[in-house]
Structure formats: C-alpha cells, structure tokens
C-alpha cells in the first residue's frame, strides 16, 4: 500500500477520525465519547512534551513507550490514584484505533501493532451482593420525592434486567409506557439496543414493572427520556447521563457501607 506524509498534526486528525468512527465504522455514541476522552489525554501529553505539532509520520516507538509509562506512572484518576492496567488498555486501544485510521487513509505513521496492551493481571472476578444488602440499597432512595422515586425505579430496573447503564439511560418514556400498559400488572419484556447497535429483549420483573408504573404516574411532562434529570432546567437536555447514575449508585452504596 502506498502511503503519503500528512501535513496536519496528530491532534488535527482526531476530529476526522471520530467522524470516520461514526460514519464508516458505525461505532456507538458511547464509544465515540470514550475515544474522544482517551485521545484528549494523548494530545495533552503531546503538549506536555512540546510535541503538539507532531505529524503522524514523526511518531516514534519511543513516543509509544513513553506514553505507556506516563499512563502507568503519572496520569491519575480524579481521586488521585494510578490507572489500573485495565483502564490503561482503554487509552491504548483508542491510540491504536487512531493509528489504524491513518493506515486506512494511507497516511504514513507507525503500525498499530506497535501499541501493545498491558496484561490485565489486576482484573477481578464478578462480585455479587447478597439479597439483604440489595434490599438495603433499594431502600436508600426517598420515594416520597420525585428524584427518589426515579432512583428507586432505576435501581429496580437495573437489578431486574441486568442492563448496561448506557442502555438504561437510552430508554424512552413512550416505548416503556406502551409495554407496561400492555402487560397490565405482570412482568414484561422491552427491546434494548446494546453495543454495535445489536437489539435484544430485556426481561422486567413484576416488582420492577410496578415501580416503573409508579414512577411514570408522577410524570406530567412530555420529555422523551424515561429517566430525566430534575436538576436541569433546559427542556431539550434532561436525559440522565451514565455518569449521574453511577454516582447515584456509588453514593447509595457508601450509605450502607459497601
């Protein structure tokens, strides 16, 4: 394959790369958002070493190695901890995808194969909460408030279906309300869109369905998202984010000392 040297810096290629991910690769919005974050860290690192204007063909194996050292030793989480090997992999996978894009566009640069990934030796098995602790967690939200009732419905739905948080926040009010109405007082199934745009059924227990009905009965608005952010006033931007739900669950877990 014939390649050419680009006259644009590596950071200048990131937006076209993300467009390529969306249009040609068909990657999900969540993956695109993650790539944006991970590559922003890479461009900031280039700035720190005075290589913000680095062209793709000027990247070296030493750059890759030094960036790996930076991720392992210097780049910290928001709470000041070193990145786990699993998280480091996410950053490096994004960089490898960018190099792959250069090759797809016949832009001279390093081979993506040179970005080796750390072994996930710190990966842990799945931990399960015993039912009494699950019940304590479910009882944390104050269901006398609108946000508390929403949070209880979120938790019940998560435990009932095993949905990813990104799938849960993508649910729309009308779709779920129609399914609940058809099922009356029993359990039901909804169709969710997961990674890669693949759809699958998700089972909602009778108990979770009851909490969803109770929550929806308080909704006098016409907002499309099933779960809305009551702290946001803009009418067009009220869908809860995955981050908001993660923080809500984490806070609830801390209250029961887990």
């Amino acid at each position: 394959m014939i390649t050419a040297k680009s006259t644009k810096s590596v950071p200048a290629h990131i937006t076209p790369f993300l467009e390529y991910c969306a249009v040609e690769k068909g990657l999900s919005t969540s993956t695109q958002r993650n790539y944006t974050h991970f590559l922003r860290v890479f461009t900031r690192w280039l700035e720190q070493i005075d290589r913000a204007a680095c062209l793709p063909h000027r990247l070296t194996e030493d750059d890759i190695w030094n960036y790996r050292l930076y991720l392992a030793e210097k780049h910290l989480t928001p709470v000041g901890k070193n990145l786990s090997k699993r998280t480091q992999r996410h950053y490096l996978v994004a960089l490898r995808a960018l190099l792959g894009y250069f090759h797809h566009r016949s832009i001279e640069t390093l081979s993506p194969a040179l970005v080796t990934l750390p072994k996930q030796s710190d990966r842990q098995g799945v931990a399960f909460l015993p039912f009494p602790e699950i019940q304590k967690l479910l009882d944390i939200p104050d269901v006398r408030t609108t946000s508390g009732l929403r949070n209880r419905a979120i938790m019940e739905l998560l435990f009932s279906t095993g949905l990813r948080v990104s799938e849960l926040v993508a649910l729309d009010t009308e779709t779920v309300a129609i399914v609940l109405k058809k099922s009356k007082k029993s359990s039901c199934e909804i169709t969710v869109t997961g990674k890669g745009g693949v759809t699958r059924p998700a089972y909602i227990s009778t108990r979770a369905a009851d909490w969803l009905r109770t929550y929806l009965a308080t909704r006098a608005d016409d907002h499309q998202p099933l779960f809305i952010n009551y702290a946001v006033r803009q009418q067009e931007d009220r869908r809860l984010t995955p981050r908001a739900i993660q923080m809500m669950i984490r806070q609830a877990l801390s209250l029961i000392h887990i």
Side-chain angles (χ1 to χ4, degrees):
M1 180 177 66
I2 300 175
T3 59
K5 295 178 179 178
S6 174
T7 57
K8 295 196 302 183
S9 68
V10 171
H13 280 283
I14 290 180
T15 296
F17 162 68
L18 294 172
E19 293 170 348
Y20 161 79
C21 288
V23 177
E24 295 192 35
K25 297 285 285 184
L27 298 184
S28 67
T29 302
S30 176
T31 300
Q32 295 173 51
R33 185 166 53 246
N34 289 336
Y35 276 178
T36 300
H37 169 69
F38 298 141
L39 291 174
R40 186 181 296 124
V41 171
F42 180 64
T43 57
R44 287 175 181 170
W45 175 76
L46 288 175
E47 293 172 358
Q48 291 175 20
I49 63 172
D50 296 324
R51 299 204 65 197
C54 178
L55 302 177
H57 65 276
R58 297 292 186 186
L59 284 173
T60 67
E61 292 185 50
D62 283 342
D63 289 329
I64 302 301
W65 175 250
N66 290 332
Y67 181 57
R68 286 190 61 181
L69 288 177
Y70 168 77
L71 292 176
E73 300 175 357
K74 295 183 179 179
H75 188 64
L76 304 178
T77 67
V79 295
K81 295 183 178 181
N82 290 107
L83 300 180
S84 67
K85 286 186 173 61
R86 185 179 183 182
T87 303
Q88 292 173 44
R89 285 175 64 94
H90 295 323
Y91 285 85
L92 295 172
V93 164
L95 177 57
R96 191 159 65 176
L98 177 63
L99 297 182
Y101 162 77
F102 288 146
H103 280 265
H104 181 77
R105 288 287 190 260
S106 300
I107 298 171
E108 184 178 331
T109 192
L110 293 171
S111 168
L114 293 174
V115 183
T116 57
L117 305 179
K119 294 181 180 180
Q120 299 187 65
S121 58
D122 61 341
R123 190 170 185 175
Q124 299 178 349
V126 177
F128 295 91
L129 290 176
F131 182 76
E133 291 186 340
I134 292 177
Q135 190 58 57
K136 286 181 181 178
L137 181 63
L138 293 172
D139 289 339
I140 287 295
D142 183 356
V143 296
R144 295 170 298 179
T145 66
T146 53
S147 59
L149 184 57
R150 176 204 62 195
N151 292 350
R152 178 64 183 261
I154 287 172
M155 290 182 182
E156 293 282 354
L157 189 58
L158 283 175
F159 278 110
S160 171
T161 61
L163 289 176
R164 297 183 179 92
V165 176
S166 59
E167 295 168 345
L168 183 137
V169 299
L171 294 174
D172 290 330
T173 302
E174 183 178 6
T175 303
V176 175
I178 290 174
V179 172
L180 291 174
K181 185 177 181 180
K182 288 182 178 179
S183 66
K184 297 181 180 178
K185 295 294 183 179
S186 63
S187 59
C188 57
E189 285 186 356
I190 56 173
T191 300
V192 296
T193 302
K195 289 187 176 181
V198 177
T199 59
R200 71 177 194 282
Y203 172 79
I204 301 178
S205 68
T206 301
R207 169 169 156 164
D210 287 343
W211 278 104
L212 282 170
R213 292 187 184 94
T214 303
Y215 162 67
L216 286 173
T218 67
R219 290 280 300 275
D221 57 79
D222 58 356
H223 297 306
Q224 183 179 8
L226 175 60
F227 297 114
I228 59 175
N229 188 341
Y230 291 106
V232 174
R233 295 185 179 276
Q234 292 86 346
Q235 296 297 313
E236 69 281 359
D237 186 27
R238 302 198 67 178
R239 189 181 297 272
L240 271 184
T241 64
R243 178 64 175 167
I245 293 181
Q246 290 164 357
M247 291 177 65
M248 180 267 288
I249 297 292
R250 187 176 295 116
Q251 182 181 21
L253 286 169
S254 68
L255 291 174
I256 59 173
H257 308 293
I258 297 179

